[in-house]
Amino acid sequence: MNAPAATAPLLQLQNVESAYGPIKAIRGVSLAVHAGEIATVLGSNGAGKTTILKTISGIIDPLKGSVHFKGENITANDPTAIVRRGLMHVPEGREVFALLSVRDNLMMGAYTRGDRDAVARDLEQVHAYFPILKERGHQDAGLLSGGQQQMLAISRALMAAPELILLDEPSLGLSPRLTKEIFEIVVRINRERGTTMLLVEQNANMALNAADFGYVLENGRIVMEGACEVLREKEDIKEFYLGMKGDGVRGERRWKKKKNWR
Ligand SMILES: Nc1ncnc2c1ncn2[C@@H]1O[C@H](COP(=O)(O)OP(=O)(O)O)[C@@H](O)[C@H]1O
Ligand SMILES: [Mg+2]
């Protein structure tokens, strides 16, 4: 691989605009995710995080802009074709197959793969990350707790051996302890398997600790970006997203008063 190709982002969005009928959900979003990193998009409820992920994975076709993955234009491609290229989406609310066993859910992730030995090795690795999925292998996935279903959803994506995983709010509805556990394993997966991740979260604290590079999304626009270690130290982020000064409501009021806070 020559030098410019090596530095090209694995995933790149340029000026992407997506809408639901007349409602514009994201407006001119540009972002890049580099191979091997964990990138995060932070934003409160309704900011447009899920819409970004759905646009990347082909569930929603954008009105404008482009999505490139591994240097290829995948804008508005069929979702199945995008999965085959090595991009898996773990949706908000997990969406496991409730009536299938845990093990069958995991094997569904690998259905496009022919390399049976490698699939068996990946199953072992997934069981090592989340031993509960091995213990509960024969139970219906619908019987798992919310946290265990999140583990299953991430693991099912891993079973496809993807290059990039899109993770939509893995912390949603989980206890702080479980959230921490899941984030630690997400980081381990990234470090050990080299799987690139794009994580969208309202839980800025967790996301900024786990990720390398972050974007802040407000009302469908990216308003700030930077290395997570830099974002963590920004006063506005501390105040509004990390709740480190006053209560959330007061923080939000102060935040909204500042028009040129960038
Ligand atoms: N299916 C839909 N139909 C109409 N509007 C939607 C739909 N899904 C999301 N929206 C709107 O698009 C905006 C962005 O939503 P979303 O991407 O789900 O935000 P987030 O994931 O950050 O909470 C919100 O204003 C939301 O109400
Ligand atoms: Mg969402």
Side-chain angles (χ1 to χ4, degrees):
M1 212 185 275
N2 60 24
T7 57
L10 184 67
L11 178 78
Q12 185 158 37
L13 273 65
Q14 284 168 316
N15 286 315
V16 174
E17 186 172 308
S18 295
Y20 302 95
I23 302 163
K24 284 207 177 112
I26 53 171
R27 312 144 188 260
V29 167
S30 295
L31 60 83
V33 181
H34 294 271
E37 77 175 1
I38 302 180
T40 187
V41 175
L42 307 175
S44 47
N45 195 22
K49 302 180 298 298
T50 295
T51 306
I52 290 179
L53 297 193
K54 285 183 168 171
T55 307
I56 295 168
S57 62
I59 300 167
I60 297 175
D61 292 348
L63 299 175
K64 288 186 191 159
S66 64
V67 181
H68 282 79
F69 179 55
K70 296 195 275 188
E72 287 176 279
N73 189 341
I74 59 160
T75 317
N77 279 14
D78 183 71
T80 326
I82 293 174
V83 166
R84 282 179 198 277
R85 282 178 200 267
L87 195 160
M88 289 298 281
H89 183 172
V90 179
E92 192 177 323
R94 11 272 188 208
E95 296 180 17
V96 300
F97 301 104
L99 298 177
L100 290 186
S101 71
V102 169
R103 196 193 147 89
D104 285 349
N105 266 273
L106 290 172
M107 295 313 288
M108 290 288 287
Y111 81 102
T112 57
R113 296 174 64 185
D115 46 347
R116 288 181 53 181
D117 291 349
V119 169
R121 278 199 301 276
D122 283 346
L123 184 65
E124 258 179 50
Q125 197 175 27
V126 153
H127 283 158
Y129 286 132
F130 300 112
I132 190 77
L133 300 181
K134 187 172 187 181
E135 283 170 37
R136 301 285 175 87
H138 297 288
Q139 282 187 11
D140 285 357
L143 297 174
L144 296 178
S145 71
Q148 292 162 352
Q149 289 191 15
Q150 185 64 61
M151 294 172 185
L152 178 57
I154 293 169
S155 299
R156 189 178 61 195
L158 272 182
M159 288 302 293
E163 283 174 64
L164 175 65
I165 296 183
L166 310 178
L167 271 178
D168 196 339
E169 295 211 49
S171 76
L172 205 67
L174 302 191
S175 70
R177 189 185 59 78
L178 259 178
T179 301
K180 187 165 174 282
E181 193 179 321
I182 286 180
F183 271 74
E184 281 169 2
I185 293 178
V186 164
V187 171
R188 261 184 71 196
I189 292 167
N190 167 259
R191 302 295 186 261
E192 293 175 7
R193 296 183 53 119
T195 310
T196 308
M197 314 257 182
L198 175 58
L199 163 72
V200 308
E201 262 296 346
Q202 286 190 60
N203 188 334
N205 199 10
M206 278 295 170
L208 284 175
N209 279 315
D212 304 297
F213 197 87
Y215 296 88
V216 178
L217 186 71
E218 278 192 355
N219 297 322
R221 292 182 206 278
I222 289 183
V223 295
M224 196 189 287
E225 63 182 78
C228 289
E229 61 202 30
V230 175
L231 293 182
R232 277 199 298 267
E233 297 308 317
K234 292 219 181 236
E235 289 306 318
D236 292 319
I237 301 249
K238 280 190 191 170
E239 201 173 322
F240 186 64
Y241 285 99
L242 303 178
M244 286 166 76
K245 273 188 203 161
D247 60 86
V249 177
R250 274 170 49 217
E252 183 166 8
R253 229 178 270 139
R254 274 202 294 272
W255 173 270
K256 282 180 177 159
K257 266 193 217 156
K258 287 187 202 171
K259 285 297 174 204
N260 59 341
W261 56 278
R262 239 210 277 205

